Amino acid sequence: MTDRGGNREIVVAQVGAIEDGTGIKVPRERAGTLDDVAVFNDDGRYFALDNTCTHEETNLADGWVEDGCVECPLHSAVFRLADGAVLAPPAPTGVAAHAVRIDGNDVVLIPNPARLA
C-alpha cells in the first residue's frame, strides 16, 4: 500500500487475474474502508464499489457483471459499476464507488476518501 498525494493506493490483483465478468472482495481491513470493496472486471475495464448490497447484506463481488453493471446474487438488484447508482430494485439506494487504475500489470484500488475508516 502506498500513499500518493494523500491518496491511499492498494495493489489488489494483476491484470487478467480477475476473470472477465467477475469480481473479487478486498477486505475492509486491507482497503482501510468502512465496507469491504468489490473490484470488478467488465470486458477489460476495472471498477470498484462498496461490496455490501443496500437491500440485504450480500457480497456484490459474487454478483453477475455485464454491460457496465453488477447484479446482486441474492435478490437481483442492479448497480452501475461506474458510480454505484442503483438501477433496479429491490435495493433502495446505491453504493459508494472507488477509483481503480492500472499501473503496468497491477490493478490498483484508490479508496473513496469519503468511505475511509
Side-chain angles (χ1 to χ4, degrees):
M1 177 171 43
T2 61
D3 242 335
R4 295 186 185 163
N7 290 328
R8 173 180 279 165
E9 298 187 356
I10 304 114
V11 175
V12 295
Q14 298 298 296
V15 171
I18 304 170
E19 292 185 35
D20 183 29
T22 67
I24 62 166
K25 180 174 84 171
V26 179
R28 68 187 76 197
E29 297 81 12
R30 182 166 178 225
T33 51
L34 296 171
D35 190 10
D36 297 331
V37 175
V39 179
F40 302 98
N41 177 354
D42 184 24
D43 197 25
R45 296 176 304 150
Y46 293 87
F47 301 91
L49 301 174
D50 275 0
N51 188 48
T52 306
C53 179
T54 58
H55 174 241
E56 291 199 11
E57 295 191 10
T58 300
N59 292 321
L60 292 176
D62 296 333
W64 296 273
V65 177
E66 187 174 58
D67 296 328
C69 297
V70 60
E71 182 178 317
C72 178
L74 187 58
H75 293 118
S76 302
V78 177
F79 299 88
R80 186 170 39 223
L81 293 173
D83 61 7
V86 65
L87 301 178
T93 60
V95 293
H98 303 269
V100 177
R101 69 179 183 85
I102 304 302
D103 183 9
N105 199 38
D106 294 334
V107 178
V108 180
L109 168 66
I110 305 164
N112 181 334
R115 298 295 294 158
L116 293 177

